[in-house]
Amino acid sequence: MWDYSEKVQDHFYNPRNAGAIEGANGTGDVGSLSCGDALRLTLKVDPDSDKILDAGFQTFGCGSAIASSSALTEMIKGMTLDDALTVSNQDIADYLDGLPPEKMHCSVMGREALQAAVANYRGEEWKDDHEEGALVCKCFAIDEVMIEDTVRANNLSTVEEVTNYTKAGGGCSACHEGIEEILTRVLAEQGVAFDPNAKIDMPKATQPKLTNIQRMKRIEELLDEIRPNLQRDKGDVELVEVDGKNIYVNMVGACGGCQMASVTLGGIQQHLAEGLGEFIQVMPSQELARQAGA
Amino acid sequence: MSTGIYLDNNATTMVSPEVVEEMMPFFSEQYGNPSSMHQFGDKVGRALKKARQQVQALLGAEHDSEIIFTSCGTEADSTAILSALKAQPDRKDIITTVVEHPAVLSLCEYLEKEGYTVHYLKVDKKGRLDMQEYIRLLSDKVAIVSVMWANNESGTLFPITEMAELASSAGVMFHTDAVQAVGKLPINLKESAIDMLSLSGHKLHAPKGIGVLYLRRGVRFRPLLRGGHQERGRRAGTENSASIVGLGKACEMALSAMAQEKTTVKALRDRLEHGILSQVSHCFVTGDPGNRLPNTCNIAFEYIEGEAILLLLNKMGIAASSGSACTSGSLEPSHVMRAMDIPYTAAHGSVRFSLSRYNSQADVDKVIEAVPPIIEKLRKLSPYWSGNGPVEDPEKAFAPTYA
């Protein structure tokens, strides 16, 4: 049985704002192929203030789909449309005290219904911009499409690289067979055979040696390259100190307390090492303080 | 026993109190290893022999040595299929069906990656096989046919004895995953052409963790687990003696209660089915109602989703299961429902009620009372529903953008 929070159960057993709104002026119909769930969100928007006066939902779906729909309507009532559009699927999940990883797409469906309904009110056409695949990594809710796209975009060839780029496989590791299968398939398209023993090549330090200033600038540039990935998860990274091969960083925002921080640091380390063409070690800045204290 | 109404007996069953009682000594004073020479081992050895004969009697097998104890139904399935491939290395084809249990389907998908060719027999809208397609596929390239006796979701029965005869006359080994059929239908293996059969203890009121592979005498065999001489070297590993004794008792009880299945249990199932269908509109029985297990009833409720139904049933203490994608966390609704071409809006709302001889008429009447308001409540939330019926032309009236 699913480990649904009390909040999810409450919103499922006692759904708020069920049914279509009378005199609605914005409607969003979306479905999630991955669960066969579908949701119609109806909004009544005040044209003068752009405020959502009322919201109602009709859902064909499981317990968490109904709970996510109910939560969404509660959250957005009284908001302006622009404010409502800032509600993320994570906000919906947080409002419900979390959803099982397999059920996160229910909250995604809620957010999409909202975007579709606002677009409908504004007379715009809404297009869905993401595709969902079968869940591969249950620890971090990473699906097949996400892994495939990342493997293609970054020419990845090992499970370790997939973990560094997507987090998939960074937890219990039970999905490594599945990740290997994806790699085998994608690499085969490029005429390459998957090699489970492949080591990630470290480029040889053939470039001329950088000055300290050049090296620090290069490190900043390399960090900027991966920053968007961290920001997408509502986190960020700050460079604190460079001491020879030891590079100290500060993980901020969501990355700070994330249980994946060590894996993320591993990913940053790999990116810096490849970019600099030398072996370096990335450590959290707390380590610097600890060493100073010692 | 815990309170509540348990109508999920195709998932697992209550261990009969008599079975538990029979098992208890084998956790305490009867701890000997049946392979040992001393009296401690000898007593356990005799108990296993009795259990083997009890299983033999239920299956109608000719010899008790045709019974091989395994850890579960899945192990028996894997042992059977892999043995056929190992024993006949020149044969690289397998015939099975699209509606098998994952114990067979996942293994077959894996074997395809290893270079084997798997032919999946399709089913029609009632879940029936096309015998002509099957006959065409039988050839000397086929190492094994593996077809379930009864479908776990719809209860639909396949013509296993006929299919085994056809395989036999084509010189092809025949295995059946009979975990849902054993104990619910009379079986007489000595009169059949079935070479191998899998069963699982926990589906017939024995504990979990015990299964059987029936292996007809003379059928070429290669063990999955090699090691000690247990099970005549065909399944190494110290015997799970308590569970084997429990399974033996459960088989004996199933045999003596066999008549009840097609009378009492079937009558309760039919009462439940009529009770629901007569009160709830827009729902239908899936599979082949005229040819199915006596205990199983699978109803697809249109325009709502199964997990939501189960959660509301569970709140009232009623246990059932569903073919919806959400209950399994997978992408698709049940492969069985999809194979029968049941539309998504109904497949997601399919609910399986599976009874046992431990259910009562009072249980069934409570469920008949509970179901209609639950369906009504969820349909009120559904975008496909309006008032007392589906919206006009539902697929058009609500056509969401799918991601």
Side-chain angles (χ1 to χ4, degrees):
Chain A
M1 219 171 144
W2 299 113
D3 189 10
Y4 284 141
S5 70
E6 304 253 319
K7 263 267 185 69
V8 172
Q9 294 186 37
D10 177 41
H11 276 265
F12 168 66
Y13 291 126
N14 310 297
R16 280 59 147 185
N17 313 306
I21 295 295
E22 291 276 330
N25 50 8
T27 303
D29 291 352
V30 297
S32 159
L33 200 61
S34 54
C35 215
D37 289 354
L39 159 61
R40 168 176 286 171
L41 179 70
T42 46
L43 300 179
K44 191 172 176 184
V45 182
D46 175 18
D48 297 329
S49 63
D50 235 17
K51 267 198 174 158
I52 298 172
L53 301 176
D54 206 357
F57 78 89
Q58 290 165 284
T59 295
F60 170 85
C62 58
S64 57
I66 289 170
S68 294
S69 310
S70 166
L72 171 71
T73 53
E74 284 287 276
M75 290 167 78
I76 60 171
K77 276 204 294 189
M79 280 188 177
T80 65
L81 292 182
D82 286 339
D83 285 346
L85 285 175
T86 65
V87 172
S88 70
N89 77 295
Q90 189 62 50
D91 293 335
I92 298 171
D94 290 347
Y95 183 90
L96 291 167
D97 294 338
L99 287 169
E102 289 90 342
K103 299 289 195 171
M104 280 303 284
H105 64 86
C106 292
S107 62
V108 174
M109 188 171 79
R111 175 176 157 72
E112 288 176 348
L114 175 62
Q115 291 171 330
V118 172
N120 174 260
Y121 168 76
R122 289 177 171 167
E124 299 162 359
E125 198 189 337
W126 177 76
K127 271 220 174 73
D128 180 51
D129 59 351
H130 87 288
E131 200 187 338
E132 244 174 27
L135 197 62
V136 175
C137 169
K138 295 198 175 175
C139 296
F140 299 107
I142 312 294
D143 69 33
E144 197 170 9
V145 173
M146 166 80 148
I147 296 173
E148 268 192 46
D149 289 351
T150 313
V151 168
R152 283 207 184 87
N154 301 286
N155 290 315
L156 308 184
S157 58
T158 68
V159 173
E160 195 185 353
E161 283 178 308
V162 170
T163 304
N164 290 339
Y165 276 78
T166 66
K167 297 190 206 170
C172 73
S173 84
C175 64
H176 285 196
E177 185 184 356
I179 296 174
E180 285 192 12
E181 277 172 21
I182 294 171
L183 282 166
T184 305
R185 196 169 61 233
V186 176
L187 290 173
E189 289 166 11
Q190 302 158 2
V192 183
F194 168 67
D195 174 9
N197 301 313
K199 292 275 177 290
I200 305 157
D201 290 334
M202 285 291 177
K204 300 266 177 329
T206 45
Q207 305 103 306
K209 197 172 171 0
L210 302 173
T211 68
N212 275 338
I213 299 292
Q214 285 170 330
R215 189 163 172 265
M216 282 185 199
K217 275 192 179 153
R218 180 77 187 122
I219 293 170
E220 283 283 15
E221 280 169 21
L222 290 165
L223 287 177
D224 283 342
E225 285 173 23
I226 47 175
R227 193 155 273 135
N229 288 335
L230 301 172
Q231 286 168 343
R232 201 176 54 210
D233 286 346
K234 298 195 162 184
D236 209 339
V237 59
E238 280 170 9
L239 182 62
V240 177
E241 172 68 304
V242 180
D243 179 13
K245 71 176 185 58
N246 293 340
I247 297 173
Y248 298 91
V249 297
N250 207 2
M251 303 300 289
V252 292
C255 291
C258 173
Q259 54 166 323
M260 278 302 288
S262 66
V263 176
T264 310
L265 280 182
I268 294 171
Q269 172 169 305
Q270 192 186 329
H271 188 73
L272 292 184
E274 284 170 15
L276 292 169
E278 56 175 311
F279 289 98
I280 49 94
Q281 196 173 10
V282 174
M283 287 183 283
S285 58
Q286 294 93 307
E287 196 66 20
L288 200 60
R290 206 179 61 80
Q291 287 170 5
Chain B
M1 220 177 88
S2 63
T3 54
I5 299 173
Y6 189 76
L7 297 186
D8 200 10
N9 287 280
N10 286 10
T12 194
T13 57
M14 178 188 90
V15 183
S16 300
E18 296 89 337
V19 169
V20 176
E21 195 184 330
E22 200 85 2
M23 290 172 71
M24 290 314 284
F26 294 87
F27 291 111
S28 47
E29 68 263 30
Q30 300 283 6
Y31 54 79
N33 186 327
S35 302
S36 303
M37 286 311 296
H38 43 65
Q39 52 151 332
F40 295 88
D42 182 57
K43 280 187 185 154
V44 179
R46 283 169 198 278
L48 298 196
K49 188 172 166 57
K50 181 180 165 203
R52 204 179 297 280
Q53 287 165 350
Q54 287 164 320
V55 178
Q56 178 198 359
L58 179 65
L59 296 180
E62 193 165 3
H63 311 283
D64 67 353
S65 60
E66 293 173 327
I67 307 300
I68 302 172
F69 291 111
T70 63
S71 66
C72 57
T74 298
E75 187 197 321
D77 289 337
S78 269
T79 304
I81 293 170
L82 295 172
S83 163
L85 297 176
K86 280 274 180 229
Q88 309 166 96
D90 296 336
R91 296 181 176 227
K92 303 279 188 200
D93 286 19
I94 299 165
I95 299 176
T96 186
T97 79
V98 290
V99 295
E100 292 302 305
H101 188 273
V104 169
L105 271 191
S106 295
L107 176 65
C108 284
E109 283 160 18
Y110 169 74
L111 289 168
E112 280 181 295
K113 288 182 200 150
E114 298 281 292
Y116 292 94
T117 303
V118 182
H119 306 279
Y120 298 95
L121 297 170
K122 292 182 287 295
V123 296
D124 67 9
K125 292 187 174 189
K126 286 188 153 188
R128 297 172 300 199
L129 295 172
D130 176 355
M131 280 301 119
Q132 293 309 313
E133 185 193 6
Y134 171 57
I135 291 165
R136 277 197 302 276
L137 284 170
L138 285 170
S139 77
D140 57 11
K141 287 195 298 186
V142 180
I144 188 164
V145 177
S146 178
V147 173
M148 67 198 332
W149 200 313
N151 188 271
N152 49 310
E153 292 187 32
S154 65
T156 303
L157 303 173
F158 284 146
I160 290 303
T161 47
E162 291 86 337
M163 291 179 84
E165 294 287 348
L166 288 166
S168 165
S169 54
V172 177
M173 270 189 209
F174 189 92
H175 164 253
T176 180
D177 176 344
V179 299
Q180 295 294 345
V182 174
K184 296 172 194 155
L185 302 172
I187 291 176
N188 193 3
L189 288 175
K190 60 180 171 296
E191 302 288 328
S192 82
I194 295 166
D195 295 310
M196 292 185 269
L197 173 146
S198 306
L199 74 85
S200 173
H202 73 100
K203 307 285 191 194
L204 59 143
H205 306 289
K208 290 147 192 74
I210 187 72
V212 162
L213 175 66
Y214 158 83
L215 175 68
R216 172 180 299 283
R217 183 173 285 186
V219 172
R220 296 181 62 217
F221 182 74
R222 298 290 179 272
L224 183 66
L225 298 183
R226 289 174 191 270
H229 58 87
Q230 294 89 354
E231 303 301 294
R232 297 170 192 258
R234 295 170 303 178
R235 201 285 189 181
T238 302
E239 298 88 344
N240 180 356
S241 42
S243 294
I244 290 172
V245 168
L247 175 60
K249 180 68 183 173
C251 285
E252 181 194 289
M253 291 173 69
L255 188 59
S256 63
M258 188 61 75
Q260 252 182 287
E261 293 289 328
K262 61 173 192 277
T263 53
T264 328
V265 177
K266 181 174 182 294
L268 285 178
R269 190 273 313 269
D270 291 344
R271 184 184 177 90
L272 174 70
E273 194 164 285
H274 294 148
I276 292 174
L277 293 180
S278 64
Q279 293 184 86
V280 179
S281 72
H282 298 88
C283 64
F284 58 91
V285 175
T286 70
D288 188 3
N291 181 36
R292 58 178 163 158
L293 291 172
N295 78 319
T296 307
C297 154
N298 190 308
I299 301 180
F301 296 96
E302 292 182 90
Y303 310 116
I304 50 175
E305 202 274 341
E307 185 201 291
I309 302 172
L310 296 189
L311 289 171
L312 292 173
L313 282 171
N314 184 54
K315 212 176 173 209
M316 306 190 68
I318 299 166
S321 72
S322 166
S324 93
C326 283
T327 53
S328 62
S330 72
L331 270 177
E332 288 270 315
S334 133
H335 67 287
V336 179
M337 295 300 140
R338 291 303 296 151
M340 294 190 290
D341 205 21
I342 291 176
Y344 274 97
T345 45
H348 278 291
S350 69
V351 174
R352 178 187 70 189
F353 300 99
S354 47
L355 287 72
S356 81
R357 60 180 189 269
Y358 292 99
N359 288 120
S360 67
Q361 185 168 318
D363 287 350
V364 164
D365 288 347
K366 274 186 204 146
V367 177
I368 293 172
E369 207 182 300
V371 168
I374 288 175
I375 305 304
E376 197 188 331
K377 175 177 172 154
L378 290 172
R379 280 183 174 161
K380 271 192 187 149
L381 299 177
S382 171
Y384 294 106
W385 199 261
S386 169
N388 291 320
V391 293
E392 209 174 311
D393 203 353
E395 309 284 331
K396 268 197 197 143
F398 182 69
T401 311
Y402 274 99

